[in-house]
């Protein structure tokens, strides 16, 4: 067990065995067994977190975030089970389910003003290694009659850095379909400027770690300002993630950020609740709704 932990942390290192390691392995084993049945049992559920236009508070769309409604443990967060699903080769069927469910919901959405909001779906690196990702997306759009322009796929910088030729081909096919692409957690990976030019990306999502102390931390201010200036000159849309307070909003306004997402506007909420939010003329960011703080 100690060897596994050492390998997890990269080679050329060592770990002493500790009792917690047994606990971690047991938990993981439990998740593995349950996860294989979760889909069939309808235990997975998508919540939707509004993405809001900063300037006027218009609700533009939502990010679909998966939760696992576990019979004994309640709502299990994705950070706990997505990596397990990736490890045991279950992310392809899970990812396909999430994509289909997100498209099914988004096909029903319309604002009071008749606008059609978009849905953003997270993709795992592993899903890119499957040959069929593009046809999975095409089938989901066709099945629910969702316009390609209403779908945004969120990918991480690490996806762009690995097997770049194949990835480029897949992303070009998405672009040809009219599906938008966003880079998730921007700034936490390689942040190579070269790939921003090379890949058909339309949106950068600035990771929330840079926003957290943006009203106090000079370095974070500089990073966020630089990312926004760069995005503007490359004609990319910027979404700030993890917006929790009005100081952050003030800073983002000064730097011309386009879109915001965070607890200040709304937590991720179940589909029915998101449909109610669509009927509001604006999300002002003054009332917090949805999932209770953990
Ligand atoms: P992410 O894509 O960066 O998703 C944003 C996470 O930030 C979500 O956590 C969301 O609840 C949280 N968040 C939103 N606003 C705020 C805020 O103002 N403050 C703070 N502190 N947090 C905020 P969640 O739902 O637990 O998701 C965690 C990660 O799990 C996601 O990070 C994403 O990488 C992964 N994930 C979620 N759903 C899916 C999915 O359907 N497919 C794949 N492949 N990954 C998913
Ligand atoms: Ca995301
Ligand atoms: Ca993110």
């Amino acid at each position: 067990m100690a060897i596994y932990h050492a390998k997890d942390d990269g080679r050329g290192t060592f770990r002493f065995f500790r009792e917690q390691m047994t606990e971690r392995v047991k938990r993981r084993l439990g998740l593995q067994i349950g996860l294989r049945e979760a889909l069939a049992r309808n235990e997975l559920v998508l919540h939707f977190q509004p993405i809001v236009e900063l300037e006027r508070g218009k609700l533009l769309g939502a990010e679909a975030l998966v939760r696992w409604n576990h019979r004994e443990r309640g709502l299990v967060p994705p950070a706990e089970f997505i990596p397990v699903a990736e490890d045991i080769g279950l992310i392809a069927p899970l990812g396909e389910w999430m994509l289909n469910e997100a498209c099914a919901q988004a096909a029903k959405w319309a604002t009071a003003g008749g606008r059609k909001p978009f849905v953003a779906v997270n993709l795992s690196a592993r899903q890119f290694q499957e040959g069929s990702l593009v046809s999975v997306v095409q089938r989901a759009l066709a099945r629910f009659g969702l316009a390609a322009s209403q779908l945004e796929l969120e990918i991480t910088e690490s996806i762009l850095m690995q097997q770049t030729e194949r990835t480029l081909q897949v992303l070009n096919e998405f672009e040809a379909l009219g599906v938008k692409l966003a880079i998730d957690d921007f700034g936490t990976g390689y942040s190579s400027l070269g790939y921003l030019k090379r890949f058909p990306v339309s949106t950068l999502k600035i990771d929330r770690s840079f926003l957290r102390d943006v009203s106090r931390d000079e370095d974070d201010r500089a990073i966020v300002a630089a990312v926004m200036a760069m995005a503007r000159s490359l004609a990319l849309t910027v979404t700030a993630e993890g917006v929790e307070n009005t100081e952050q909003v003030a800073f983002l306004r000064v730097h011309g950020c386009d879109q915001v997402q965070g607890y200040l506007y709304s937590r991720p909420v179940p589909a029915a609740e998101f449909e109610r939010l669509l009927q509001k003329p604006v999300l002002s960011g003054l009332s917090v709704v949805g999932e209770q703080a953990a």
Side-chain angles (χ1 to χ4, degrees), residues 5-266:
H5 280 79
K7 281 186 174 166
D8 267 356
D9 294 341
R11 288 173 187 267
T13 180
F14 65 91
R15 290 288 172 276
F16 290 109
F17 173 81
R18 283 182 300 152
E19 198 53 47
Q20 295 102 289
M21 289 182 181
T22 330
E23 281 310 306
R24 234 167 82 183
V25 169
K26 270 196 212 147
R27 247 172 100 92
R28 221 177 144 84
L29 212 61
L31 285 181
Q32 282 184 18
I33 294 166
L35 204 48
R36 289 189 193 278
E37 292 163 356
L39 256 189
R41 289 208 181 113
N42 272 327
E43 290 176 349
L44 295 185
V45 54
L46 289 187
H47 283 189
F48 297 90
Q49 186 175 35
I51 297 174
V52 176
E53 180 205 50
L54 176 57
E55 189 61 31
R56 278 162 295 177
K58 260 200 317 197
L59 211 173
L60 301 174
E63 178 174 359
L65 294 158
V66 68
R67 277 97 184 81
W68 178 8
N69 206 347
H70 194 282
R71 279 166 306 160
E72 285 138 32
R73 296 175 47 194
L75 280 192
V76 183
E80 257 186 73
F81 68 86
I82 291 282
V84 177
E86 287 173 339
D87 277 0
I88 61 175
L90 262 188
I91 195 66
L94 287 191
E96 186 167 347
W97 179 86
M98 292 176 297
L99 185 74
N100 274 280
E101 180 65 15
C103 290
Q105 293 299 333
K108 296 192 279 182
W109 295 344
T111 63
R115 261 182 309 110
K116 296 268 187 195
F118 70 87
V119 69
V121 176
N122 291 283
L123 292 183
S124 280
R126 287 284 164 89
Q127 288 174 272
F128 272 78
Q129 288 156 12
E130 310 275 323
S132 56
L133 184 57
V134 176
S135 55
V136 166
V137 169
Q138 257 174 321
R139 270 206 309 272
L141 291 172
R143 178 168 165 203
F144 301 103
L146 190 72
S149 58
Q150 277 179 270
L151 179 63
E152 187 163 292
L153 298 174
E154 297 195 1
I155 58 178
T156 56
E157 293 170 274
S158 56
I159 293 180
L160 300 179
M161 301 308 288
Q162 71 199 19
Q163 2 166 6
T164 46
E165 282 316 312
R166 163 144 174 73
T167 304
L168 183 60
Q169 187 197 331
V170 172
L171 297 185
N172 282 337
E173 287 178 50
F174 283 141
E175 192 194 26
L177 283 180
V179 170
K180 282 179 292 175
L181 293 166
I183 300 187
D184 204 357
D185 308 336
F186 187 76
T188 59
Y190 305 86
S191 309
S192 150
L193 304 185
Y195 68 54
L196 291 183
K197 249 182 70 187
R198 187 152 170 240
F199 294 108
V201 167
S202 62
T203 304
L204 297 185
K205 301 191 77 174
I206 303 187
D207 190 65
R208 67 169 180 271
S209 59
F210 300 110
L211 267 298
R212 197 158 39 222
D213 298 318
V214 86
S215 36
R216 278 172 285 125
D217 188 305
E218 276 305 319
D219 292 338
D220 285 346
R221 295 172 81 87
I223 291 169
V224 174
V227 169
M228 282 195 283
M230 181 190 67
R232 197 171 315 119
S233 53
L234 291 170
L236 297 171
T237 300
V238 175
T239 305
E241 298 188 306
V243 176
E244 295 182 347
N245 60 55
T246 49
E247 288 82 40
Q248 292 166 324
V249 171
F251 177 83
L252 292 168
R253 273 183 200 279
V254 168
H255 291 278
C257 182
D258 306 291
Q259 301 176 4
V260 282
Q261 177 181 357
Y263 294 169
L264 181 65
Y265 295 88
S266 167

